[in-house]
Amino acid sequence: MPLFIMAAALIVALCLTGELPSQITTMVVVLGFFGFVCGEIGKRLPVLGKIGAAAICATFIPSAMVYYHLLPASIVDSTKAFYKSSGILYLYISCIIVGSIFSMDRKTIMRGFLRIFIPMLCGEIVGAIVGTTVGTLLGLGSFNTLFFIVLPIMAGGVGEGAIPLSIGFHEIMHIEQGVAFARIIPMVMLGSLTAILTAGILNHLGKRKPHLTGEGRLLPGEQEEISSSTSINPLKGAIDVTGLASAAMMALLLYMVGILGQRLVGLPAPVGMLFAAVLVKLTQAVSPQMTGNANVVYKFFQTSVTYPILFMVGVAITPWESLMAAFTVSNLIVIISTVLSLVATGFFVGKKMGMHPVDVAVVSCCQSGQGGTGDVAILTAANRMVLMPFAQIATRIGGAINVTLALVVLSHFFTF
């Protein structure tokens, strides 16, 4: 509490005496203060607090505050500048992905990564059919529903989904990219919001019916946490600071591998990093000490950085007016139908395949997420951040496949 009061006082003092610096030393305090305030508000909401309202509030409260000018301009400007210049979101995702992969059993990785594609594919097919059918019945038109509502929901977020789609629509249909993007982005956001709420409900379902969930494990009978025989937990006894620094450096080096892969073969850097981390884990190229330290780094980012990151995203790239403009009854019905059918398909297909249905359904939620930030919010609402590697597959790879196939089909459609 003393730190909280001191942070509030210093933020107010800096805003009153001039511009708020956008350097990391200041922004860590600002994002931490506002992020945890918004998250705590969400946690304390009746009913909604148990189904993911913390992640929603940490993102959408700041978005509304920016729109209604409830945040000082200096805080808004500094947060946007920090988001654009720092790339801190990728630092967060790097440490989360590498830590969660290193925490998993090797056999589980090999089996889980291959098997998760089946419920993902089935979910996308069913979601597209249901969403397009519902939109057509509501008079929105099958073409408009599929390409401007359903597809953006499953496109993989803003940078990897909405922007490439808007560019493709501009080149193929000869409409202004800005106009196309304005139509697409609200669907991405509302789809992600629906997925966050659904993830919170799934977490509640898992608590009510424990036999349906592995609490972050996709496959029953396997230990996805670090095996006690092969790991060292630095939290017990003296903390190895050098080891923690090395684990963080390992995560950043693997992200650099992803950047190199993006330049060479065009694979998104987070996906390349994911595959590199999996390869390192499968070949046991790191020591048990490094594995244990990576898990500690992962836990730090999961508990201490999530809400600040979500607050930053709400201020910097979540326009409140676009979100509100899409709140039509018809759009909402199509979005909810698409997301729920996609998630339900993942749930039942995963159960049929002998996987934990709740955890598979949480990964399916990420197919409707707003990119990496959506994955963070969804997994936070579901209390299953350890599923981040599978979430990245669902979001990045699934979204890239959806966008590519859609634009290929669209180009042939307009050619004829």
Side-chain angles (χ1 to χ4, degrees):
M1 186 57 68
L3 291 175
F4 179 83
I5 295 173
M6 187 175 180
L10 287 172
I11 291 171
V12 171
L14 287 174
C15 289
L16 291 176
T17 56
E19 294 184 356
L20 186 69
S22 60
Q23 61 197 38
I24 190 169
T25 49
T26 305
M27 294 313 299
V28 165
V29 176
V30 173
L31 299 181
F33 177 83
F34 285 104
F36 279 100
V37 167
C38 294
E40 290 299 320
I41 291 173
K43 287 181 181 179
R44 284 160 173 74
L45 291 178
V47 182
L48 294 177
K50 297 181 179 180
I51 58 172
I56 295 172
C57 288
T59 306
F60 290 99
I61 287 179
S63 176
M65 292 178 70
V66 171
Y67 180 74
Y68 292 108
H69 304 290
L70 299 177
L71 271 179
S74 57
I75 293 179
V76 175
D77 294 340
S78 297
T79 301
K80 290 182 177 180
F82 182 70
Y83 175 81
K84 292 179 180 179
S85 64
S86 67
I88 193 171
L89 177 63
Y90 292 103
L91 168 65
Y92 174 85
I93 291 177
S94 299
C95 292
I96 287 289
I97 288 179
V98 172
S100 55
I101 286 177
F102 283 6
S103 300
M104 296 169 64
D105 179 75
R106 292 171 66 247
K107 294 181 179 179
T108 299
I109 292 178
M110 290 186 286
R111 291 179 58 196
F113 270 70
L114 293 175
R115 298 180 70 176
I116 195 63
F117 279 101
I118 298 177
M120 278 175 49
L121 178 61
C122 294
E124 290 186 352
I125 294 173
V126 173
I129 293 173
V130 171
T132 304
T133 302
V134 170
T136 303
L137 294 175
L138 291 173
L140 298 177
S142 56
F143 180 87
N144 175 72
T145 302
L146 177 61
F147 286 97
F148 286 95
I149 301 179
V150 174
L151 181 61
I153 293 173
M154 300 187 292
V158 179
E160 298 84 357
I163 293 177
L165 269 182
S166 64
I167 295 173
F169 289 166
H170 166 68
E171 295 177 351
I172 297 171
M173 294 188 286
H174 306 293
I175 61 177
E176 291 293 332
Q177 181 186 348
V179 174
F181 186 75
R183 292 180 62 183
I184 291 171
I185 190 64
M187 308 307 165
V188 175
M189 294 178 180
L190 287 176
S192 185
L193 174 60
T194 305
I196 294 168
L197 287 170
T198 305
I201 293 171
L202 287 168
N203 181 44
H204 188 64
L205 174 64
K207 292 179 179 179
R208 295 286 299 272
K209 298 182 181 297
H211 65 282
L212 295 176
T213 179
E215 293 294 338
R217 296 185 293 273
L218 291 179
L219 300 170
E222 292 189 357
Q223 183 72 10
E224 291 197 10
E225 298 298 327
I226 302 175
S227 171
S228 59
S229 63
T230 59
S231 69
I232 295 177
N233 186 356
L235 288 178
K236 295 180 179 179
I239 295 178
D240 180 7
V241 178
T242 304
L244 295 180
S246 299
M249 178 64 74
M250 168 66 75
L252 300 181
L253 291 175
L254 289 174
Y255 183 72
M256 292 176 68
V257 171
I259 295 176
L260 183 61
Q262 185 175 21
R263 293 180 178 179
L264 296 177
V265 298
L267 193 68
V271 177
M273 175 188 64
L274 188 154
F275 288 144
V278 170
L279 181 62
V280 169
K281 175 65 178 181
L282 293 180
T283 57
Q284 295 182 313
V286 294
S287 66
Q289 289 88 349
M290 178 74 78
T291 301
N293 287 320
N295 192 40
V296 176
V297 173
Y298 156 76
K299 290 182 182 297
F300 167 76
F301 275 84
Q302 179 191 19
T303 57
S304 303
V305 186
T306 296
Y307 292 132
I309 287 287
L310 292 176
F311 174 83
M312 179 181 66
V313 167
V315 171
I317 61 169
T318 308
W320 183 255
E321 61 275 22
S322 298
L323 189 64
M324 293 299 102
F327 268 100
T328 66
V329 175
S330 299
N331 284 348
L332 288 175
I333 293 175
V334 173
I335 291 169
I336 293 172
S337 300
T338 302
V339 174
L340 292 184
S341 58
L342 188 157
V343 174
T345 302
F347 182 95
F348 290 108
V349 172
K351 185 177 182 181
K352 191 72 174 177
M353 294 176 62
M355 306 170 77
H356 291 298
V358 168
D359 303 277
V360 175
V362 170
V363 175
S364 296
C365 286
C366 295
Q367 294 177 260
S368 307
Q370 190 178 331
T373 58
D375 290 343
V376 173
I378 290 167
L379 297 183
T380 300
N383 194 29
R384 284 166 174 78
M385 194 64 74
V386 72
L387 290 173
M388 180 61 83
F390 301 102
Q392 288 287 298
I393 289 177
T395 304
R396 308 282 183 176
I397 298 179
I401 292 174
N402 291 336
V403 171
T404 302
L405 290 178
L407 293 180
V408 169
V409 171
L410 196 61
S411 62
H412 283 288
F413 179 81
F414 273 81
T415 299
F416 292 104

